[in-house]
Amino acid sequence: MLYPENTIDKLGFTEVKELIKAHCLSVMGQQMVEKIQVMSNYDNISKFLSQAHEFKNILQNDAALPIQHFFDIKALANKARLEGAFLTEEEFYQVLASLNTVFAVIAYFNEREGQYPNLEALFEHLPIEKAIIRKIEQVIDAKGKIKPNASRELADISTGIAKAEQEARRKIDQVFKSASGNGWTADGSLTVRDGRLCIPLLAENKRKLKGFIHDESASGQTVYMEPEEVFTLNNKIRDLEFERRREIIKILTALTDELRPYVPLLLSYHSLLTKLDFVRAKALFAIDIEGELPQVVNEARLKLVNARHPLLFLNFKKEHKTVVPLNLQIDDRTRVVVVSGPNAGGKSVCMKTVGLLQLMVQAGLLIPADEASVVGVFKQFFVDIGDDQSIESDLSTYSAHLSKMKNFVENANAKSLILIDEFGTGTDPQFGGPIAEAVLESLNHKKVKGMVTTHYSNLKIFAGNTEGIENASMLFNNVEMKPLYMLEVGKPGSSYAFEIAQKIGLPQNVLNLAKNKISAGQKNVDTLLVGLEREKKEILDTRVKLEKQQRQVNALLTENEQLKSYLEENKKVLIREAKDEAKNIILNANKLVENTIAEIKSSNADKEKTKDLRENLNRELQKNTAKPVVAKAAATDEEIKVGDWVKLADSETTGQVIELIKDNVIIAIGDLRTVAKRKRVQKVAKSVVPKEVRRSMNSHTGDIASFSPEIDVRGMRTEDALGAIERLFDRALMMGFGNLKILHGKGDGILRKMIRQYLKKYDQVDRMEDEHMDRGGDGITYVYLK
């Protein structure tokens, strides 16, 4: 139940329906959108939401649904139902095109059986009767015209007409040539008058030729004559055409008679097409507003996570602005949220967002909020927004509000959602405040759930001291005197009346006079609220700063773990290579010793020969003796530059300097990066750096030189595009690039949206922006990395 009846208009639901209607392909779909109702049956709500969600998945991630033609075959079926009636050629063509669409859609879902269960339920148990198509195709061609051979009689008539027309044309051409040769004809060629071929004759020559004059020119100088020789033939053609028309009507009537038994099935097909058009429009609207499927529960509660007002979202989207998301929870513990704060701070928009999104979910529409949102089912909606004074009913603004409050108190219950804007206004605050408090207390006793906005201090105090009612405020920057449009639950907010008045420029003496007229208690309360707002702002800024620092710490921990893993792996590799090399040295040494002994024996221990062999052994020994590496520490006054090789203190790890930031040095160690203080690194000569490390860095440097932070994914499927972007993203992070450029094109904006949603999950992404309008606009996305 909705109270009052214009609730859907007040919350903007009517505008939402109009936007959905704009996506419909047929009048039937638009009529179905017009009939959208707010439901309270949990199963129906879940079904309609799932259908819209599945169709959205098809539009974004699957092949296009073969929906090409939407005609009102319901009207055609009802016409065919009447005995003696017949459908025209065009109407049969519409039936044929619609049936082809129906059968193509059913085949599409049959190929994906089980993938879209809620959409498959739309045509469950619906038979595919292709006999109807075969019957129509025997008579109607692909252009929607009756086939010349639809019956033997029609074929004979068509042949007779063709022969008669050929003969008539041959004879009139002869007469026209003869008349032209005699100079009787006017300028021009043969023409048609009253459906007859005629010769244009000069008026003074009209009696020189026998025939029937059908028309004359505006000046009267030219007459159009049908020669006597072709008059009989043209009459025969006209008779055959009448006969052909009668035969066509006969054929269409017979075809309609054959179609009549299938009328109930045609109505079912019509229903399927209408529902598909309806669900498709809802899915397209969901894509426009970035709508998602929330978790739906069969309870009177809700939890909105990053929710946005859909109409505000669309308006801001045109202006390339973003909507501040809303986070709110209403349940058995926090039943009524009392929102306070300055005017133009977003209180009413916040409340309307809650109401509109709840209506949309209960109407089977996806909402612009995170999938983590939880939306329940309310049986009744009670809304008091705006001025409802009525001259006809002799109601003032306040009387209209009180009339609604009476209805709320009498009829609302624990399964009702109430939304009251500017609670208690319209009369003397001394009396309006207590009455509003009493109404709120009565609604709380009945465990009603909802949201109210107010400026009354007594309601803020009551909410702070009453179980089930929670204060909330719209955050305000009291330094710049600008609203932040962020809802903060737990504390009331100041109206900032004096601060706003001062910023506007109201004279100081007037402000001082006003301050002296309010009570000390009220002044203290407002001062306290302003102080709380300031504290909340400072806490919020601190929290944001801490979260940023925590992300940096997590990144460093991850980098250290990677570095440790890298070093452990390199250690194993080096040990394995050393063992292999030692094994080869031993084998070679054994061979050398054996050869030396053999040569000594063969030379009978000749002294010179033995001396030469010993020197050869010493040379081989020197080759395989490791030279001690003495790392030359950089002098304290020697400046470290980008490209220098350095060694970490208390470690044998060697790397190359790739960037200097204040007292920090960013070092590349293979594919990894690490940050160290300048005093913890020592500059070493390039010659003492192992060849393997230099080769690795040279290879990596080559990778950086060949790396391009741009990618073009236009024309690619979504999965392929995301995979390519992920690989580019990984390499950019490894190589320390600050931004990426992604060319995805404009189109319907679906690929752009999927790419941005995918990249949002990475903490390393700072922000994303469109290219300048002159250089591609929203067809190109720049990704800036932290």
Side-chain angles (χ1 to χ4, degrees):
M1 182 190 94
L2 299 177
Y3 179 85
E5 293 181 356
N6 62 351
T7 293
I8 62 172
D9 296 325
K10 288 182 175 291
L11 292 178
F13 191 66
T14 303
E15 295 178 59
V16 168
K17 292 205 295 188
E18 289 300 318
L19 292 172
I20 297 173
K21 283 170 64 176
H23 286 295
C24 290
L25 296 174
S26 67
V27 176
M28 304 89 70
Q30 293 176 350
Q31 291 171 347
M32 200 164 183
V33 172
E34 193 62 42
K35 295 177 182 177
I36 291 179
Q37 297 292 328
V38 178
M39 302 170 287
S40 58
N41 182 283
Y42 170 77
D43 292 333
N44 286 338
I45 293 171
S46 298
K47 178 180 72 174
F48 284 115
L49 284 172
S50 298
Q51 287 174 353
H53 181 62
E54 289 177 0
F55 213 117
K56 177 173 170 261
N57 283 339
I58 289 175
L59 293 173
Q60 290 182 324
N61 305 313
D62 209 335
L65 198 65
I67 299 177
Q68 299 172 346
H69 301 285
F70 275 99
F71 296 109
D72 187 3
I73 58 176
K74 180 179 180 180
L76 303 181
N78 288 330
K79 180 180 178 181
R81 194 195 299 268
L82 301 174
E83 290 289 341
F86 66 90
L87 301 183
T88 63
E89 298 167 74
E90 176 63 23
E91 289 171 339
F92 270 116
Y93 175 73
Q94 292 179 6
V95 173
L96 180 62
S98 298
L99 292 185
N100 282 326
T101 297
V102 168
F103 297 153
V105 166
I106 293 176
Y108 178 93
F109 284 111
N110 286 340
E111 291 175 1
R112 297 160 175 79
E113 186 175 359
Q115 193 171 343
Y116 306 108
N118 291 281
L119 289 175
E120 290 174 15
L122 293 176
F123 56 86
E124 192 175 14
H125 308 306
L126 187 64
I128 300 176
E129 190 54 75
K130 293 195 174 181
I132 306 175
I133 289 182
R134 289 194 293 271
K135 292 177 185 296
I136 296 175
E137 287 180 339
Q138 289 175 355
V139 175
I140 305 297
D141 63 17
K143 295 181 180 180
K145 300 297 181 183
I146 197 160
K147 292 182 176 180
N149 61 346
S151 71
R152 181 176 298 176
E153 292 77 6
L154 183 62
D156 293 341
I157 294 171
S158 298
T159 301
I161 291 174
K163 289 181 178 179
E165 287 178 342
Q166 187 177 4
E167 179 64 20
R169 183 62 186 237
R170 187 180 61 79
K171 286 196 174 184
I172 200 170
D173 282 343
Q174 291 176 351
V175 175
F176 181 64
K177 287 179 181 179
S178 175
S180 296
N182 293 326
W184 297 343
T185 59
D187 291 338
S189 58
L190 293 173
T191 185
V192 176
R193 288 292 187 274
D194 295 334
R196 303 282 189 127
L197 269 175
C198 298
I199 296 173
L201 293 176
L202 295 171
E204 62 266 23
N205 299 323
K206 63 183 179 181
R207 301 196 183 280
K208 294 179 181 178
L209 192 66
K210 291 183 179 182
F212 182 80
I213 296 175
H214 286 274
D215 197 5
E216 67 178 6
S217 65
S219 63
Q221 295 180 359
T222 302
V223 297
Y224 300 96
M225 176 181 290
E226 181 183 8
E228 183 182 45
E229 290 88 339
V230 298
F231 188 77
T232 303
L233 284 172
N234 280 338
N235 282 341
K236 180 181 179 182
I237 293 171
R238 182 66 61 87
D239 289 341
L240 287 172
E241 286 176 346
F242 285 137
E243 190 175 343
R244 181 177 184 274
R245 183 58 192 159
R246 287 192 296 271
E247 181 61 24
I248 288 174
I249 292 174
K250 178 182 175 182
I251 293 169
L252 294 177
T253 301
L255 184 58
T256 304
D257 291 341
E258 290 187 72
L259 190 65
R260 191 166 294 117
Y262 299 104
V263 164
L265 188 56
L266 290 177
L267 294 176
S268 297
Y269 290 152
H270 169 84
S271 177
L272 172 60
L273 288 177
T274 302
K275 290 174 183 176
L276 282 174
D277 191 19
F278 171 67
V279 180
R280 173 183 175 277
K282 292 199 300 181
L284 287 171
F285 177 69
I287 292 174
D288 289 344
I289 63 172
E290 297 182 6
E292 300 291 348
L293 175 65
Q295 180 184 348
V296 184
V297 295
N298 196 11
E299 304 171 28
R301 65 184 178 94
L302 66 92
K303 175 187 176 184
L304 295 177
V305 180
N306 292 331
R308 292 145 295 168
H309 193 290
L311 302 179
L312 187 64
F313 174 81
L314 292 175
N315 287 333
F316 275 30
K317 192 175 181 181
K318 294 176 184 176
E319 301 171 7
H320 302 288
K321 296 192 294 185
T322 56
V323 178
V324 178
L326 167 69
N327 294 279
L328 177 73
Q329 185 163 339
I330 295 176
D331 50 28
D332 291 331
R333 186 174 179 180
T334 304
R335 291 188 290 274
V336 179
V337 178
V338 178
V339 185
S340 51
N343 286 321
K347 299 190 302 296
S348 297
V349 172
C350 173
M351 185 181 65
K352 289 181 178 179
T353 300
V354 173
L356 179 56
L357 297 191
Q358 186 64 46
L359 287 180
M360 288 175 64
V361 169
Q362 292 193 218
L365 303 176
L366 305 182
I367 59 173
D370 281 3
E371 294 177 348
S373 300
V374 180
V375 183
V377 178
F378 291 91
K379 301 295 183 183
Q380 299 167 306
F381 290 81
F382 295 94
V383 177
D384 183 13
I385 298 175
D387 184 359
D388 280 341
Q389 65 175 330
S390 170
I391 296 176
E392 292 81 4
S393 303
D394 194 24
L395 290 175
S396 67
T397 300
Y398 188 61
S399 298
H401 284 310
L402 284 181
S403 177
K404 289 182 180 177
M405 293 307 106
K406 172 180 175 291
N407 194 294
F408 290 10
V409 171
E410 290 177 351
N411 299 307
N413 55 46
K415 294 184 178 181
S416 303
L417 180 70
I418 62 159
L419 301 170
I420 306 174
D421 195 22
E422 301 296 346
F423 197 19
T425 57
T427 189
D428 189 334
Q430 278 189 316
F431 305 106
I435 291 175
E437 184 176 328
V439 170
L440 186 57
E441 183 175 2
S442 176
L443 293 172
N444 187 42
H445 285 159
K446 301 183 77 172
K447 301 189 183 303
V448 174
K449 298 179 180 67
M451 176 182 285
V452 300
T453 67
T454 187
H455 288 284
Y456 285 173
S457 296
N458 69 304
L459 292 180
K460 302 175 189 177
I461 296 171
F462 177 72
N465 298 326
T466 306
E467 185 180 353
I469 303 179
E470 187 73 60
N471 269 310
S473 61
M474 302 304 297
L475 292 182
F476 194 79
N477 187 331
N478 53 14
V479 177
E480 299 180 5
M481 300 306 296
K482 291 182 179 179
L484 300 177
Y485 304 109
M486 296 175 63
L487 181 70
E488 183 79 8
V489 178
K491 295 180 181 179
S494 169
S495 296
Y496 288 95
F498 288 105
E499 289 82 359
I500 294 173
Q502 184 175 5
K503 184 182 180 184
I504 289 174
L506 202 64
Q508 189 62 42
N509 62 324
V510 176
L511 289 172
N512 293 334
L513 188 62
K515 289 179 180 178
N516 292 331
K517 290 181 179 294
I518 65 173
S519 66
Q522 180 61 43
K523 190 184 300 182
N524 290 336
V525 168
D526 204 58
T527 302
L528 177 62
L529 290 176
V530 171
L532 289 173
E533 289 286 336
R534 187 178 295 110
E535 289 178 13
K536 284 193 292 185
K537 179 66 169 57
E538 292 174 356
I539 292 171
L540 180 64
D541 292 342
T542 303
R543 187 174 67 186
V544 171
K545 184 178 180 181
L546 288 174
E547 288 176 353
K548 184 177 180 181
Q549 291 176 347
Q550 186 61 47
R551 287 196 298 270
Q552 291 174 345
V553 170
N554 292 339
L556 287 174
L557 288 174
T558 302
E559 186 176 350
N560 286 336
E561 288 296 325
Q562 291 175 343
L563 179 59
K564 181 180 178 182
S565 175
Y566 170 78
L567 293 176
E568 288 292 332
E569 184 63 30
N570 273 6
K571 180 180 177 182
K572 294 176 182 178
V573 172
L574 290 173
I575 291 173
R576 185 168 58 251
E577 290 178 351
K579 288 181 177 180
D580 291 340
E581 188 174 353
K583 182 179 178 181
N584 291 330
I585 291 172
I586 292 171
L587 291 174
N588 292 332
N590 288 337
K591 290 180 181 178
L592 181 61
V593 170
E594 289 174 0
N595 292 335
T596 301
I597 293 171
E599 290 188 21
I600 290 173
K601 287 181 178 180
S602 64
S603 62
N604 294 321
D606 182 82
K607 288 184 179 181
E608 289 299 324
K609 186 65 175 178
T610 303
K611 183 179 177 182
D612 291 341
L613 291 173
R614 283 179 178 173
E615 287 178 358
N616 185 36
L617 282 173
N618 287 329
R619 283 195 298 271
E620 291 299 322
L621 179 63
Q622 290 296 326
K623 285 182 183 179
N624 293 295
T625 300
K627 297 178 181 179
V629 178
V630 180
K632 297 180 181 178
T636 54
D637 59 344
E638 188 176 358
E639 185 180 357
I640 296 176
K641 303 183 295 299
V642 173
D644 289 345
W645 289 91
V646 295
K647 185 181 75 168
L648 294 175
D650 303 325
S651 171
E652 294 302 321
T653 303
T654 307
Q656 192 173 23
V657 178
I658 60 173
E659 191 174 354
L660 298 171
I661 302 176
K662 294 183 180 179
D663 293 333
N664 296 321
V665 181
I666 300 178
I667 305 169
I669 303 173
D671 290 338
L672 300 179
R673 302 287 181 275
T674 188
V675 180
K677 295 292 183 182
R678 292 199 188 201
K679 61 184 180 182
R680 289 193 62 248
V681 299
Q682 293 179 338
K683 186 174 180 180
V684 298
K686 184 177 179 181
S687 59
V688 303
V689 180
K691 292 182 179 180
E692 295 79 6
V693 176
R694 292 205 301 271
R695 281 199 297 268
S696 174
M697 287 304 301
N698 289 336
S699 172
H700 187 66
T701 304
D703 288 344
I704 294 177
S706 63
F707 176 73
S708 172
E710 295 186 16
I711 188 170
D712 187 347
V713 296
R714 290 174 294 183
M716 296 173 65
R717 288 178 58 86
T718 302
E719 295 83 356
D720 298 336
L722 293 181
I725 291 170
E726 182 178 23
R727 291 190 292 273
L728 180 77
F729 183 75
D730 290 342
R731 293 191 66 195
L733 287 177
M734 289 171 54
M735 297 180 182
F737 278 77
N739 59 72
L740 303 176
K741 180 179 179 183
I742 302 174
L743 287 77
H744 45 65
K746 296 183 179 180
D748 295 329
I750 295 174
L751 183 58
R752 170 181 177 270
K753 178 191 169 188
M754 295 297 293
I755 290 171
R756 293 197 173 191
Q757 282 183 344
Y758 178 77
L759 290 175
K760 280 180 183 177
K761 70 180 183 180
Y762 289 105
D763 292 336
Q764 293 89 343
V765 175
D766 182 28
R767 69 187 189 280
M768 289 176 275
E769 295 179 357
D770 292 338
E771 174 63 276
H772 190 277
M773 290 300 295
D774 297 336
R775 297 189 292 274
D778 57 6
I780 299 173
T781 292
Y782 277 98
V783 183
Y784 294 91
L785 307 179
K786 296 178 182 176

